[in-house]
């Protein structure tokens, strides 16, 4: 009984700090994918750096911004599990079954227009659901960076999605082909200047084909018309 009281009390007392730490880690991941994370990763420095980022809520079906939902409190992962806030996925290539009706996107703006667009993405790989961020340039086409902040892939194999060297291969790649279809993918083997359509291809992870396929599938889903496609189309139209 005494131990239960102690554990319960500790959980209640530490919850506010846990919420702060969770928010701080999320801000670090968002800043990191666009190279804005300060050397001092403390709360004050991160909060100051995060002022360069503008979060907005997007209706994924229409691609329009939603003004009556607070982007600072809206939880995409909870919404994806709520039948009143989610959408059943028909062509579920990312193996996530449902997605939220709304998504929070993060913009770095210059002269009133996005220079970087940071998009939350997720999808199943070999052992786990990958959660991360894909950052695009303001043209809504060119990749600036990618990062995964939560997964349970095999260290040294699928876990290499955390490897800075592999993540650096994404920069400058193009998401869409001339016909507007999603062309970006992780391929088996290495990509070089002689590889056909190299601008749409990223080196595969050695010994981790299923994890590589999982990354490809989540990219193809979230960049499609079912995901951020309508929103990115509007960005391109306003550019």
């Amino acid at each position: 009984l005494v131990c239960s009281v102690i554990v319960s009390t500790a959980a209640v007392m530490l919850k506010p700090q846990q919420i702060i730490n969770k928010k701080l880690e999320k801000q670090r991941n968002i800043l990191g994918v666009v190279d804005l994370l300060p050397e001092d990763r403390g709360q004050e420095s991160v909060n100051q750096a995060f002022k360069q980022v503008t979060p907005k809520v997007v209706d994924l079906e229409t691609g329009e911004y939603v003004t009556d939902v607070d982007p600072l409190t809206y939880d995409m992962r909870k919404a994806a599990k709520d039948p009143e806030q989610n959408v059943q996925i028909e062509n579920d290539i990312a193996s996530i079954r449902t997605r939220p009706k709304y998504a929070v996107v993060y913009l770095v703006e210059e002269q009133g227009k996005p220079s970087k667009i940071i998009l939350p993405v997720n999808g199943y790989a070999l052992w786990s659901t990958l959660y991360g961020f894909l950052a695009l340039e303001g043209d809504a086409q060119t990749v600036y960076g990618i990062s995964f902040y939560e997964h349970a892939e095999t260290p040294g194999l699928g876990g290499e999605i955390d490897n800075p060297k592999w993540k650096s291969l994404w920069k400058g790649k193009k998401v869409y082909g001339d016909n507007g279809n999603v062309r970006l993918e992780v391929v088996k083997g290495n990509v070089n200047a002689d590889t056909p359509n190299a601008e749409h291809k990223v080196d595969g992870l050695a010994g981790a084909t299923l994890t590589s396929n999982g990354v490809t599938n989540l990219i193809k889903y979230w960049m499609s018309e079912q995901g951020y496609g309508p929103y990115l189309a509007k960005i391109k139209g306003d550019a």
Side-chain angles (χ1 to χ4, degrees):
L1 178 61
V2 171
C3 289
S4 297
V5 171
I6 292 174
V7 171
S8 299
T9 301
V12 171
M13 292 181 65
L14 292 175
K15 187 173 182 179
Q17 187 59 47
Q18 291 173 344
I19 293 173
I20 292 173
N21 290 342
K22 185 177 180 180
K23 176 184 175 183
L24 184 62
E25 188 59 27
K26 184 176 183 179
Q27 290 177 332
R28 287 172 179 155
N29 282 297
I30 292 169
L31 292 170
V33 78
V34 287
D35 297 329
L36 292 177
L37 185 63
E39 290 187 13
D40 178 3
R41 300 188 180 187
Q43 183 176 348
E44 185 175 345
S45 296
V46 170
N47 286 341
Q48 185 64 31
F50 202 74
K51 291 180 180 179
Q52 301 172 76
V53 178
T54 303
K56 294 187 177 184
V57 178
V58 173
D59 183 325
L60 291 174
E61 182 176 356
T62 65
E64 300 285 353
Y65 291 122
V66 177
T67 57
D68 58 351
V69 178
D70 186 352
L72 299 180
T73 58
Y74 179 71
D75 190 325
M76 288 179 61
R77 290 173 70 166
K78 286 184 178 179
K81 298 176 182 179
D82 185 345
E84 295 185 358
Q85 300 185 68
N86 68 19
V87 172
Q88 297 288 328
I89 299 173
E90 295 181 3
N91 184 22
D92 188 17
I93 60 173
S95 299
I96 54 177
R97 295 189 297 277
T98 61
R99 66 153 174 81
K101 293 179 181 178
Y102 302 148
V104 182
V105 301
Y106 303 87
L107 306 178
V108 179
E109 297 179 310
E110 293 180 5
Q111 298 180 344
K113 292 188 176 182
S115 63
K116 303 290 185 299
I117 307 161
I118 306 163
L119 308 170
V121 294
N122 65 292
Y124 200 80
L126 174 59
W127 303 114
S128 64
T129 300
L130 314 177
Y131 291 93
F133 294 103
L134 177 70
L136 303 180
E137 300 279 5
D139 62 1
Q141 157 75 331
T142 307
V143 176
Y144 185 85
I146 192 170
S147 71
F148 293 98
Y149 60 86
E150 183 179 326
H151 67 85
E153 299 303 287
T154 307
L157 296 173
E160 288 298 289
I161 58 175
D162 292 329
N163 190 320
K165 183 178 180 181
W166 184 75
K167 291 190 291 186
S168 70
L169 300 175
W170 288 77
K171 192 167 187 176
K173 298 296 181 177
K174 305 296 182 179
V175 176
Y176 301 101
D178 294 337
N179 59 2
N181 290 338
V182 181
R183 297 287 306 277
L184 183 61
E185 62 180 339
V186 180
V187 300
K188 189 173 183 178
N190 297 324
V191 178
N192 56 48
D194 296 327
T195 302
N197 301 308
E199 69 272 19
H200 301 300
K201 298 178 179 179
V202 178
D203 293 11
L205 296 164
T209 299
L210 293 180
T211 301
S212 297
N213 291 344
V215 175
T216 291
N217 289 337
L218 73 86
I219 291 294
K220 288 188 177 296
Y221 172 74
W222 283 105
M223 297 299 103
S224 74
E225 289 298 308
Q226 292 191 75
Y228 295 108
Y231 170 65
L232 296 175
K234 290 188 179 296
I235 293 287
K236 291 176 184 177
D238 292 337

